[in-house]
Amino acid sequence: MSKVSFKITLTSDPRLPYKVLHLFTSSTFLARALPGAFPTGACEERLSVPESTPFTAVLKFAAEEFKVPAATSAIITNDGIGINPAQTAGNVFLKHGSELRIIPRDRVGSC
Amino acid sequence: MGDKPPGFRGSRDWIGCVEASLCLAHFGGPQGRLCHVPRGVGLHGELERLYSHFAGGGGPVMVGGDADARSKALLGVCVGSGTEAYVLVLDPHYWGTPKSPSELQAAGWVGWQEVSAAFDPNSFYNLCLTSLSSQQQQRTLD
């Protein structure tokens, strides 16, 4: 069974250079060659999920592993594109690749 | 769009730069790239990026935080010879038709602020850097 992975980096904690979460998505449809071995980070976890898994579940899992609230977290690409979690993990991988970041959601409004 | 639960519409719950960037993408507006500034780091580390953004024709930069949730948008950046740096800050709460730009400046709706004063070190910030795609830029020229 072919596997691909998301590498999700926590960027909101300046005390750590990075924390990395690897999520493996099982699907022959999504198979791609991944270069080299994964670099080791301060924290690594692995989870196998079907490609049809809602990306909300990926976000929830990543947030739990990094001990941040899922409801006030968002996942973006390394070049800053926001990812709407209302799609499948497979879609996210095809559109945005595997290198992602988890950030806290901000608030705008008080004057 | 599906990013929020059904009860969100009509509520008084918060939104911020993340939601704004998703809306821009969903409704085909300018591109909005997100940049996270961790708590305590401050904006000095992003000044070069902001300078390149504006020098390259980038649009307003929406700013949102947590401890600092005051709405603001950045329209420019000025970097001095030492550690001095200033950002041109717009308060988006203004409504109506101003008589003149100087009226807006005099009332404090837009103005240059020293970076350390404009941003709270106790807050993280998300910046949403807006820019037109090459396709959108071509349409404005046609």
Side-chain angles (χ1 to χ4, degrees), chain B residues 50-61 74-76 129-132 137:
Chain B
L50 287 170
Y51 188 92
S52 297
H53 171 76
F54 290 118
V61 176
L74 306 182
L75 303 179
L129 287 75
T130 63
S131 57
L132 293 177
Q137 279 179 339

Side-chain angles (χ1 to χ4, degrees), chain A residues 11-14 56 59 71-86 101-111, chain B residues 1-4 14-19 21-22 31-34 36 38-39 41 49 62-66 68-71 93 124 126:
Chain A
T11 55
S12 61
D13 188 343
T56 47
L59 167 59
T72 56
S73 296
I75 291 185
I76 66 174
T77 65
N78 278 352
D79 58 356
I81 302 298
I83 296 176
N84 188 339
R101 300 180 178 193
I102 185 167
I103 65 170
R105 293 194 187 225
D106 58 285
R107 308 184 309 172
V108 174
S110 63
C111 55
Chain B
M1 200 169 20
D3 175 50
K4 297 296 186 193
W14 290 97
I15 61 170
C17 290
V18 171
E19 289 78 7
S21 75
L22 294 178
Q31 184 180 70
R33 284 189 191 270
L34 293 165
H36 177 70
R39 196 185 317 282
V41 170
R49 178 174 177 167
M62 182 178 174
V63 180
D66 63 340
D68 177 8
R70 292 170 297 173
S71 301
H93 292 95
F124 74 77
N126 286 331

Side-chain angles (χ1 to χ4, degrees), chain B residues 4-141:
Chain B
K4 297 296 186 193
F8 186 82
R9 180 181 287 188
S11 74
R12 295 174 65 85
D13 289 344
W14 290 97
I15 61 170
C17 290
V18 171
E19 289 78 7
S21 75
L22 294 178
C23 283
L24 287 173
H26 183 77
F27 295 109
Q31 184 180 70
R33 284 189 191 270
L34 293 165
C35 171
H36 177 70
V37 181
R39 196 185 317 282
V41 170
L43 218 68
H44 282 90
E46 299 301 327
L47 290 176
E48 200 171 310
R49 178 174 177 167
L50 287 170
Y51 188 92
S52 297
H53 171 76
F54 290 118
V61 176
M62 182 178 174
V63 180
D66 63 340
D68 177 8
R70 292 170 297 173
S71 301
K72 44 183 158 287
L74 306 182
L75 303 179
V77 62
C78 177
V79 181
S81 54
T83 55
E84 283 185 309
Y86 296 84
V87 283
L88 185 59
V89 181
L90 170 78
D91 184 335
H93 292 95
Y94 184 87
W95 61 275
T97 306
K99 295 192 181 105
S100 65
S102 54
E103 178 187 315
L104 292 173
Q105 287 180 283
W109 293 109
V110 64
W112 289 98
Q113 295 181 29
E114 209 278 321
V115 168
S116 302
F119 293 89
D120 183 349
N122 296 315
S123 183
F124 74 77
Y125 291 96
N126 286 331
L127 312 177
C128 181
L129 287 75
T130 63
S131 57
L132 293 177
S133 65
S134 53
Q135 200 175 14
Q136 289 168 329
Q137 279 179 339
Q138 187 56 47
R139 281 206 291 269
T140 63
L141 292 172

Side-chain angles (χ1 to χ4, degrees), chain A residues 10 12-13 19 59-74 102-104:
Chain A
L10 178 71
S12 61
D13 188 343
K19 289 178 77 172
L59 167 59
K60 185 167 183 291
F61 177 81
E64 284 171 0
E65 291 301 306
F66 288 132
K67 296 180 175 46
V68 296
T72 56
S73 296
I102 185 167
I103 65 170

